[in-house]
Amino acid sequence: MALIVQKFGGSSVADAERVRNVARIVTDTYKAGNDVVVVVSAQGDTTDDLIEKAQEINPRAPKRELDQLLAAGEQISISLLAMAIEALGYPVISLLGWQAGFNTNSVYGAARIKSIKPNRLQAELARHNIVVVAGFQGINRYDDLTTLGRGGSDTSAVAIAATLHADKCQIFTDVEGVYTADPRKVDGARKLKEITYDEMLELATLGAQVLNNRSVEMAKKYSVEIEVLSSLNPVPGTIVKEVAKLEKMLIRGVTKDTDVALISILNVQDTPGVAFKVFSKLSGKHINVDIILQSFGRSGTKDIVFSVSKENGPLAIELLKGLPALAGAKVLCDTDVAKVSIVGAGMETHPGTASKMFEALYERDINIKMISTSEIKISVIIDAKDADRAVSAVHAAFAPKD
Amino acid sequence: MALIVQKFGGSSVADAERVRNVARIVTDTYKAGNDVVVVVSAQGDTTDDLIEKAQEINPRAPKRELDQLLAAGEQISISLLAMAIEALGYPVISLLGWQAGFNTNSVYGAARIKSIKPNRLQAELARHNIVVVAGFQGINRYDDLTTLGRGGSDTSAVAIAATLHADKCQIFTDVEGVYTADPRKVDGARKLKEITYDEMLELATLGAQVLNNRSVEMAKKYSVEIEVLSSLNPVPGTIVKEVAKLEKMLIRGVTKDTDVALISILNVQDTPGVAFKVFSKLSGKHINVDIILQSFGRSGTKDIVFSVSKENGPLAIELLKGLPALAGAKVLCDTDVAKVSIVGAGMETHPGTASKMFEALYERDINIKMISTSEIKISVIIDAKDADRAVSAVHAAFAPKD
């Protein structure tokens, strides 16, 4: 008998028929002799609908109230799933984030899990209940509801798996696993049998929207083995775990991320501390900065270019325009860009990889605006219009010749 | 400076425009120098929509899960109202039932409030926040969500007013107050300026759907002064409070209740304890029995007739059919009936009141099936089809001649 944590996203529980489908998957697992904890997100578009309601009433709604509002989404989905499981004749109980013991910090809208008090979860498992837990939510030390941000249900599932020392954490999605590229867009994209945490982390960060990156970080930290698989098609998915490092350089995937805004600060006075002032200002407002490029401009000035998510573009511009250190500099924002990346362990020992990627883009006449490399990835910023062509070209260049 | 509790029902917060309207009423009260606690129900048809979702998945959904589901309704309305109040520039915080300290027993779907821990409410008022509280919900000692049943938000509001010793409890509805009869149906129906708890209790019980009866009971017990008024039309409403008993007999209102099922048990063996067995069986399933009539039937048998709510009719029949003491008896259920009542303090000292009512019905050729009288009301059960005519006739008979 094993303890298995299963997580189902919003599209997997979008309507009554799909809720029943999830109930069947869960009860099949329970019937096979396992303890089961199920984590679910809000149904389908519920979260977006709630945000729309809030926008209509107050476009700058307090984040605490927004979290109070959004947490209702999973409350609905967990109770409905519990009802569906009960209808199949199995013992079940649904738990809200706070009932399941999720304690978080107080960053409303993007809270971090501080701890999970496992008492209630353990007690319900001891009663042989299937336990359905609301993902994405918890409470802070003031007893106020918090949410973990988009994709937070993945993190909830991994956190429970880590806390209860679960044997497996299965993340059900609408794809069959992790692919070398988007299978709907790239011919020859293949499903990976397994992948390391670090590789998955790069893929997640880079926009392969399969797993939330915080959940992968947490899985790595606590050695939780994750399986990504389909809730509609019962075939083996992709296992995310620590695997022995491969001698041979292996490209795990090619990804595209269009949620990128490129911010350019031109003609900055070349005095010490300017970069510090720029990036501390941004991090103070929780704006994550990705690729940074600094270059010398004309006489005694320099240019700083970096990327942020599209959503944060306008706020970043606003913050920078008010910065005294940037007086006289020009601040521009380009949202018409995309980031295309290749991910694979062992990349640093294969210097030919980058040039092979650049060559593939050059052959398609695709202009590279920025480049960033790490141990296991190479990213380029290009025009948004070239993104899909770029992914295909790069994928073809690295695809196994078989 | 006073402490005022204001309660708004689902139709008062049905959409963004109405939520903004409620925010204006609340902030006007706060602006005038009062502390304000606002209790709201779920928006418009939210509760019915959620019940429908549950029905589709599991027609016999566990009541605990149903409460978990339904409690999401007020979670949405309180956060939206808080956002609307914040948009007007006032300090505000929303609290779920459990955050506001509502402890209840464990009768899911019809829980009773056991206590309110006032710490959080008091702390938020001390911070000069307008406090928006989810009506209708609380938690039991297992930390599971419970709901108080239909109309429970009225009870939540009165309970807060009692706990915090509020100066006033205003119940906003879509009518302007308590009327002598339904003003949409009966010519000459008048709005009452004030009414006693007992009279209001009878009116509430009898189907004048203005105030939930448990809320009136609680208001009476803790001497909470209630004002019933319109959220759309700012005119004085009806005050519910203990008033000096009037010498003159005064009919407060004529009501109609079509949520009645008449259960007849015919040819019951006339042995001791039969009635006890019947009614203890029903109360064991929380079925409230209203008017009871017992009469002698043919040789050595008797008939028992009583009324329950329509919803409870089928369950009552089912329970009684399995009762050994009723072997050989015939159990019938008639749902095509209505109860028409007159309510007014001092009725017992005016014996002519009943005959005046019966005369008004006789003149319209309306047949009376059952009669019940108390200190402050007289009710008759008649055919459902006669109900509206009966209300008009009785109201006309008692209307002041001016």
Side-chain angles (χ1 to χ4, degrees), chain B residues 95-113:
Chain B
L95 298 178
L96 296 165
W98 67 269
Q99 292 172 325
F102 275 81
N103 294 306
T104 75
N105 66 12
S106 291
V107 183
Y108 296 108
R112 295 254 167 185
I113 300 167

Side-chain angles (χ1 to χ4, degrees), chain A residues 354-383:
Chain A
S355 61
K356 192 166 171 183
M357 179 181 188
F358 302 154
E359 184 186 10
L361 296 174
Y362 171 75
E363 279 173 0
R364 266 31 165 232
D365 209 16
I366 294 168
N367 188 37
I368 300 173
K369 294 177 169 235
M370 274 173 95
I371 299 167
S372 156
T373 63
S374 81
E375 283 197 2
I376 63 165
K377 74 158 185 189
I378 302 172
S379 300
V380 296
I381 301 275
I382 58 177
D383 281 338

Side-chain angles (χ1 to χ4, degrees), chain A residues 5-273:
Chain A
V5 176
Q6 302 187 314
K7 180 259 170 180
F8 296 88
S11 63
S12 298
V13 290
D15 54 36
E17 192 37 62
R18 290 196 178 194
V19 169
R20 275 190 280 265
N21 175 52
V22 168
R24 277 187 295 268
I25 295 174
V26 169
T27 54
D28 282 350
T29 311
Y30 181 86
K31 211 157 45 182
N34 301 295
D35 283 338
V36 187
V37 177
V38 194
V39 176
V40 274
S41 308
Q43 291 188 291
D45 301 323
T46 307
T47 304
D48 290 331
D49 292 346
L50 290 174
I51 290 175
E52 204 174 292
K53 268 177 180 258
Q55 286 281 340
E56 195 185 346
I57 281 172
N58 186 342
R60 285 168 174 257
K63 288 194 165 182
R64 180 206 179 266
E65 299 301 334
L66 210 48
D67 278 7
Q68 181 95 295
L69 177 70
L70 295 184
E74 293 81 36
Q75 187 163 341
I76 293 170
S77 58
I78 56 169
S79 45
L80 291 177
L81 178 56
M83 292 173 195
I85 290 170
E86 202 270 349
L88 295 176
Y90 292 87
V92 62
I93 191 160
S94 74
L95 298 178
L96 296 165
W98 66 269
Q99 290 172 327
F102 275 83
N103 293 307
T104 75
N105 67 12
S106 291
V107 183
Y108 295 108
R112 295 254 166 183
I113 299 167
K114 285 166 66 183
S115 66
I116 298 180
K117 269 195 223 136
N119 316 39
R120 181 79 190 259
L121 284 167
Q122 286 163 342
E124 298 300 345
L125 289 171
R127 286 186 198 109
H128 303 294
N129 276 322
I130 294 171
V131 188
V132 182
V133 177
F136 179 68
Q137 57 176 248
I139 47 169
N140 62 18
R141 63 203 179 97
Y142 309 109
D143 272 0
D144 286 342
L145 302 192
T146 55
T147 70
L148 310 180
R150 288 280 161 143
S153 293
D154 290 350
T155 313
S156 303
V158 172
I160 290 177
T163 303
L164 300 180
H165 305 290
D167 297 277
K168 205 190 277 189
C169 181
Q170 296 183 312
I171 308 280
F172 288 84
T173 70
D174 47 8
V175 296
E176 283 174 23
V178 182
Y179 283 77
T180 54
D182 186 337
R184 290 164 303 186
K185 292 191 180 170
V186 177
D187 279 349
R190 290 171 304 113
K191 184 166 72 184
L192 296 165
K193 237 168 126 170
E194 52 185 36
I195 184 170
T196 68
Y197 297 115
D198 283 340
E199 290 169 337
M200 190 64 225
L201 211 46
E202 292 291 357
L203 287 174
T205 311
L206 297 172
Q209 294 150 345
V210 180
L211 268 183
N212 172 266
N213 53 356
R214 272 162 63 193
S215 69
V216 182
E217 281 165 19
M218 189 180 285
K220 182 185 175 187
K221 189 168 168 189
Y222 296 101
S223 298
V224 173
E225 187 176 313
I226 296 178
E227 183 177 7
V228 178
L229 67 178
S230 164
S231 61
L232 302 171
N233 197 1
V235 296
T238 300
I239 305 276
V240 187
K241 62 175 185 181
E242 215 53 84
V243 284
K245 209 164 187 180
L246 298 157
E247 279 303 306
K248 203 165 152 276
M249 158 59 195
L250 204 64
I251 296 299
R252 289 298 186 184
V254 183
T255 67
K256 174 188 82 166
D257 184 3
T258 54
D259 183 18
V260 180
L262 205 60
I263 307 238
S264 308
I265 315 174
L266 308 178
N267 303 325
V268 183
Q269 285 305 315
D270 188 14
T271 48

Side-chain angles (χ1 to χ4, degrees), chain B residues 323-336:
Chain B
L323 210 60
L326 296 185
K330 201 169 176 182
V331 182
L332 303 172
C333 182
D334 181 1
T335 56
D336 229 15

Side-chain angles (χ1 to χ4, degrees), chain B residues 273-315:
Chain B
V274 170
F276 164 74
K277 282 169 191 160
V278 165
F279 295 112
S280 68
K281 186 84 187 173
L282 297 174
S283 71
K285 292 287 178 182
H286 301 285
I287 296 179
N288 278 321
V289 170
D290 191 32
I291 307 175
I292 300 174
L293 205 81
Q294 184 170 310
S295 62
F296 290 100
R298 282 165 297 168
S299 52
T301 67
K302 58 187 177 186
D303 299 341
I304 300 174
V305 185
F306 59 90
S307 63
V308 297
S309 70
K310 272 207 172 70
E311 178 198 20
N312 282 328
L315 178 57

Side-chain angles (χ1 to χ4, degrees), chain B residues 323-402:
Chain B
L323 210 60
L326 296 185
K330 201 169 176 182
V331 182
L332 303 172
C333 182
D334 181 1
T335 56
D336 229 15
V337 294
K339 181 163 62 179
V340 169
S341 311
I342 55 174
V343 172
M347 196 168 284
E348 78 273 35
T349 60
H350 290 74
T353 313
S355 61
K356 193 168 173 181
M357 180 182 186
F358 303 155
E359 184 185 13
L361 296 174
Y362 172 73
E363 279 173 359
R364 265 34 166 230
D365 209 17
I366 295 168
N367 187 38
I368 300 172
K369 298 179 167 230
M370 274 173 95
I371 299 169
S372 155
T373 62
S374 80
E375 283 197 1
I376 62 164
K377 75 157 186 193
I378 302 171
S379 299
V380 296
I381 301 275
I382 58 177
D383 280 339
K385 68 173 169 47
D386 294 328
D388 287 332
R389 282 197 308 129
V391 171
S392 292
V394 173
H395 192 270
F398 287 99
K401 311 287 182 276
D402 55 7

